[in-house]
């Protein structure tokens, strides 16, 4: 990577300069002299020049990565959503050559494997033409294609359509940006069991995630209500879907994974066991403790674990991401205690129902590990039997605060999703607590801090489907995205209504411009429509 010649003082002064409140005129127009980048880069400097961007912007790239070439065309369409319609017709009367005509991309590695912790760092230089050059060049440099993807997003946010000249401009150039994420895991959960989401909608969500530099789609595919996924080893499982039209084929799942990879996003599937699994028994009733008591899954039968193993084996072929979520939350063992054959099994094995819960979780973990998976479990498993958990386990906090500090103190890795702030189905949680939530809260030991992989917002699907999911996710997910990407010292402390809110307004409007149905930022209840007329940048 080319080092940037910036000083700490310059960075700090720029930070406070560029994120001052929006200056809104009487017509509620934005002040074009301000810079809005979301999430905030790690280090950057800017100037006072305005550069024009050629609508026929070309790419200079010596590699042969389809990920890069496709992403360039994708972002070019976003940048020139207006200008491309008028550029050629009026180009001859627009004056001299454009300042930026070429986007140079330098990627140091040809390895495109997308695994956890892949290098997403990049540098971006936007300086325009010099005296010796007839064309201007912006330069992206990254160690991997995935760092280059993050740089393309940043570059696209610097480009603004100017309605007066009908051209795309970059204000406050030159830019020198050096950026990398704070956390390797920056996730969003979507739930396709409570409501089915069409593949096209899942793709729209993945696209919107890439705009905020989120990088893990936690796909909560099945739950007690429905089992929509095709599993070749046990083909009757998807009889538990809501209908035969609300299903995902193996090919659908491959399509989602490949679509996400092209945007630098992992897909982590979840098969929640042993609870939340009533739908499994529609196709295989032997998985139920009894016909009148249908979950948790029957712990006493080897067939149950044969099914779990078959599912994990099938999904290993589809989802390359090493992390696999096994759930383990909210397990009510009442059915085990009230079903004769399971009660006898517990007696024969000298187990209580609590022991059987531990047995099930640990056996499922062994199956996952045998499939070269890293098991992720909700926090109840850690709370119930921390000394028995496989040390490779990643603890996923959701229920109460303070779990991640306890988990990392025992040497476990942890993902932060505290429901008080990062459960998007909690519609009465405004953007401020989402933004202020800190995965490192209560953890001062630097070794333990490294065990916090990151965090995730969760879009549980009981009251969200295709009609309203995007406006429930956004813009609050963006608040968490900046917390997970940007440096802690830049996003902590101070008045976030000054340092963050204007930029979040702007980013929400950018999402709208790109076709994402992001709701107003400051509504008391999330996903509500505007209450009256007004500028997008104030709502």
């Amino acid at each position: 990577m080319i080092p940037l010649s910036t000083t700490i003082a310059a960075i700090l002064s720029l930070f406070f300069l560029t994120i001052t409140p929006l200056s809104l005129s009487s017509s509620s127009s934005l002040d074009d002299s301000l810079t809005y980048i979301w999430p905030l880069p790690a280090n950057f400097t800017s100037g006072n020049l305005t550069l024009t961007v050629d609508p026929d912007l070309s790419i200079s790239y010596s590699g042969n990565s389809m990920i890069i070439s496709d992403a360039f065309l994708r972002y070019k369409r976003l940048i020139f959503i207006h200008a491309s319609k008028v550029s050629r017709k009026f180009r001859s009367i627009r004056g001299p050559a454009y300042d930026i005509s070429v986007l140079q991309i330098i990627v140091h590695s040809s390895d495109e494997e997308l695994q956890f912790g892949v290098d997403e760092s990049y540098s971006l230089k936007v300086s325009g033409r010099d005296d010796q050059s007839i064309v201007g060049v912006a330069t992206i440099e990254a160690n991997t294609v995935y760092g280059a993807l993050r740089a393309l997003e940043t570059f696209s946010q610097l480009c603004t359509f100017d309605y007066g000249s009908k051209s795309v401009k970059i204000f406050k150039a030159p830019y020198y940006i050096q950026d990398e994420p704070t956390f390797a895991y920056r996730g969003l959960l979507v739930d396709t069991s409570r409501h089915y989401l069409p593949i096209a909608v899942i793709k729209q969500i993945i696209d919107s995630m890439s705009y905020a530099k989120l990088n893990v789609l936690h796909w909560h595919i099945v739950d007690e209500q429905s089992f929509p996924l095709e599993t070749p080893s046990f083909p009757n499982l998807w009889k538990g879907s809501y209908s035969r039209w609300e299903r995902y084929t193996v090919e659908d799942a491959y399509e989602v994974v490949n679509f996400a990879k092209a945007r630098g996003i992992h897909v982590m599937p979840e098969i929640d066991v042993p609870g939340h699994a009533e739908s499994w028994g529609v196709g295989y009733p032997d998985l139920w403790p009894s016909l009148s008591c249908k979950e948790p899954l029957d712990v006493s039968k080897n067939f149950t674990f044969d099914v779990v193993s078959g599912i994990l084996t099938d999904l290993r072929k589809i989802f390359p991401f090493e992390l696999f979520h096994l759930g383990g939350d909210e397990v009510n063992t009442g059915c085990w205690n009230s079903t004769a054959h399971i009660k006898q099994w517990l007696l024969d094995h000298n187990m209580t129902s609590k022991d059987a819960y531990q047995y099930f979780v640990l056996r499922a973990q062994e199956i996952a590990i045998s499939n070269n998976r890293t098991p992720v479990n909700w926090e109840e498993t850690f709370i119930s039997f921390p000394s028995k958990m496989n040390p490779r386990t990643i603890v996923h906090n959701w229920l109460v605060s303070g779990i991640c500090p306890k988990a990392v103190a025992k040497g476990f890795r942890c993902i932060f999703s505290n429901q008080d702030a990062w459960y998007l189905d909690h519609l009465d949680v405004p953007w401020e607590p989402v933004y202020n939530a800190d995965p490192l809260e209560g953890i001062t030991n630097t070794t333990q801090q490294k065990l916090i992989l990151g965090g995730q917002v969760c879009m549980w699907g009981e009251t969200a489907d295709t009609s309203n999911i995007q406006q429930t996710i956004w813009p609050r997910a963006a608040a968490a995205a900046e917390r997970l990407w940007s440096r802690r010292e830049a996003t902590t402390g101070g008045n976030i209504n000054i340092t963050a809110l204007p930029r979040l307004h702007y980013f929400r409007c950018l999402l709208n411009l790109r076709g994402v149905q992001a709701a107003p930022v400051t509504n008391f209840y999330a996903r509500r429509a505007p209450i009256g007329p007004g500028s997008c940048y104030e709502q």
Side-chain angles (χ1 to χ4, degrees):
M1 300 287 289
I2 298 175
L4 299 176
S5 56
T6 60
T7 66
I8 297 297
I11 294 166
L12 291 176
S13 64
L14 173 71
F15 171 74
F16 288 109
L17 172 68
T18 58
I19 56 177
T20 50
L22 286 176
S23 298
L24 295 171
S25 69
S26 58
S27 62
S28 296
S29 61
L30 280 173
D31 184 344
D32 289 335
S33 68
L34 299 176
T35 299
Y36 297 92
I37 304 174
W38 196 280
L40 195 70
N43 297 314
F44 67 107
T45 61
S46 65
N48 55 12
L49 300 178
T50 297
L51 305 178
T52 56
V53 184
D54 192 340
D56 293 321
L57 182 72
S58 62
I59 183 175
S60 172
Y61 172 60
S62 60
N64 57 3
S65 170
M66 290 300 296
I67 290 178
I68 294 295
S69 56
D70 289 349
F72 172 74
L73 294 176
R74 190 165 65 245
Y75 275 105
K76 188 175 178 180
R77 286 192 294 269
L78 293 175
I79 292 168
F80 298 104
I81 191 170
H82 296 294
S84 62
K85 298 182 177 66
V86 299
S87 59
R88 293 186 181 278
K89 181 177 179 181
F90 293 100
R91 187 168 180 173
S92 61
I93 62 173
R94 289 298 177 192
Y98 293 92
D99 297 303
I100 303 293
S101 295
V102 178
L103 180 60
Q104 182 179 40
I105 299 178
I106 302 167
V107 179
H108 294 297
S109 173
S110 60
D111 184 0
E112 295 185 355
E113 183 180 9
L114 180 61
Q115 279 299 343
F116 184 65
V118 69
D119 190 340
E120 298 174 88
S121 65
Y122 67 89
S123 65
L124 171 62
K125 178 182 176 181
V126 182
S127 56
R129 290 178 292 130
D130 57 34
D131 293 338
Q132 288 75 41
S133 176
I134 61 173
V135 294
V137 179
T139 301
I140 287 170
E141 187 170 357
N143 291 324
T144 72
V145 294
Y146 303 109
L149 291 178
R150 306 302 173 227
L152 281 166
E153 175 57 41
T154 300
F155 178 76
S156 75
Q157 291 189 26
L158 295 178
C159 297
T160 304
F161 182 70
D162 179 77
Y163 282 85
S165 63
K166 295 184 180 178
S167 64
V168 170
K169 295 181 178 180
I170 296 178
F171 297 96
K172 301 183 68 175
Y175 282 93
Y176 298 91
I177 298 173
Q178 190 165 21
D179 200 10
E180 62 182 350
T182 295
F183 293 101
Y185 186 107
R186 307 180 306 279
L188 166 68
L189 176 148
V190 295
D191 171 10
T192 58
S193 175
R194 276 54 179 259
H195 283 99
Y196 175 82
L197 296 176
I199 293 298
V201 174
I202 295 175
K203 287 182 175 180
Q204 291 166 8
I205 292 170
I206 291 170
D207 261 334
S208 65
M209 290 174 64
S210 71
Y211 303 152
K213 299 186 173 75
L214 294 175
N215 72 339
V216 179
L217 177 70
H218 175 174
W219 191 357
H220 188 85
I221 305 176
V222 306
D223 209 289
E224 64 186 62
Q225 291 86 359
S226 71
F227 195 116
L229 181 66
E230 180 183 18
T231 49
S233 295
F234 292 92
N236 290 339
L237 281 169
W238 70 353
K239 288 185 177 181
S241 62
Y242 286 119
S243 71
R244 65 179 184 272
W245 301 285
E246 296 168 287
R247 292 175 172 175
Y248 304 106
T249 65
V250 167
E251 291 78 12
D252 289 335
Y254 272 120
E255 188 174 350
V256 168
V257 169
N258 291 332
F259 186 88
K261 180 182 179 181
R263 288 147 182 82
I265 294 174
H266 309 277
V267 181
M268 177 178 69
E270 179 181 357
I271 303 297
D272 198 347
V273 293
H276 291 279
E278 180 179 335
S279 61
W280 298 35
V282 176
Y284 296 96
D286 282 350
L287 293 170
W288 289 331
S290 70
L291 293 178
S292 60
C293 205
K294 298 181 178 180
E295 64 179 8
L297 296 171
D298 192 332
V299 67
S300 70
K301 294 176 181 174
N302 283 327
F303 175 66
T304 300
F305 296 97
D306 290 341
V307 174
V308 172
S309 180
I311 294 172
L312 266 65
T313 300
D314 287 345
L315 297 192
R316 189 72 182 93
K317 301 170 186 175
I318 302 170
F319 298 94
F321 191 38
E322 66 187 74
L323 275 59
F324 193 99
H325 211 299
L326 292 169
D329 63 314
E330 298 180 323
V331 178
N332 182 346
T333 58
C335 279
W336 290 350
N337 290 320
S338 62
T339 303
H341 75 271
I342 299 180
K343 285 176 66 177
Q344 185 61 50
W345 182 87
L346 292 173
L347 184 63
D348 293 344
H349 290 78
N350 194 27
M351 284 188 188
T352 64
S353 58
K354 182 178 179 180
D355 296 330
Y357 168 49
Q358 174 185 306
Y359 166 80
F360 199 116
V361 169
L362 297 183
R363 188 166 173 182
Q365 286 190 344
E366 291 173 3
I367 294 170
I369 291 170
S370 70
N371 275 275
N372 296 316
R373 298 288 198 170
T374 298
V376 184
N377 280 104
W378 296 110
E379 68 184 57
E380 286 95 326
T381 59
F382 170 75
I383 293 171
S384 298
F385 39 89
S387 64
K388 302 295 184 181
M389 298 269 281
N390 189 291
R392 291 177 57 178
T393 304
I394 297 171
V395 177
H396 195 165
N397 151 253
W398 76 275
L399 185 58
V400 296
S401 60
I403 290 299
C404 280
K406 294 177 181 177
V408 298
K410 292 185 178 294
F412 291 102
R413 292 172 292 173
C414 194
I415 297 169
F416 176 89
S417 289
N418 193 315
Q419 64 170 338
D420 290 341
W422 283 8
Y423 266 36
L424 300 176
D425 56 310
H426 293 195
L427 302 180
D428 59 348
V429 176
W431 77 274
E432 294 95 335
V434 179
Y435 189 84
N436 285 328
D438 185 358
L440 297 180
E441 183 178 5
I443 306 170
T444 57
N445 181 288
T446 55
T447 301
Q448 293 179 4
Q449 286 180 345
K450 293 177 182 178
L451 296 176
I452 301 297
L453 302 184
Q456 171 182 293
V457 287
C458 298
M459 184 62 264
W460 295 106
E462 284 86 349
T463 64
D465 67 1
T466 296
S467 68
N468 62 0
I469 189 167
Q470 286 283 57
Q471 52 263 54
T472 316
I473 293 172
W474 306 105
R476 290 181 301 162
E482 179 154 289
R483 169 65 58 206
L484 292 166
W485 179 277
S486 304
R487 293 195 170 179
R488 197 181 188 194
E489 58 268 25
T491 56
T492 303
N495 185 345
I496 62 172
N497 288 301
I498 295 174
T499 60
L501 180 58
R503 292 183 300 108
L504 185 55
H505 277 305
Y506 187 90
F507 184 71
R508 177 255 170 166
C509 298
L510 178 68
L511 291 175
N512 288 171
L513 182 65
R514 294 179 176 185
V516 181
Q517 300 90 347
V521 175
T522 55
N523 279 356
F524 182 79
Y525 287 106
R527 80 182 180 203
R528 286 200 172 177
I531 59 174
S535 167
C536 174
Y537 302 96
E538 296 176 298
Q539 294 175 342

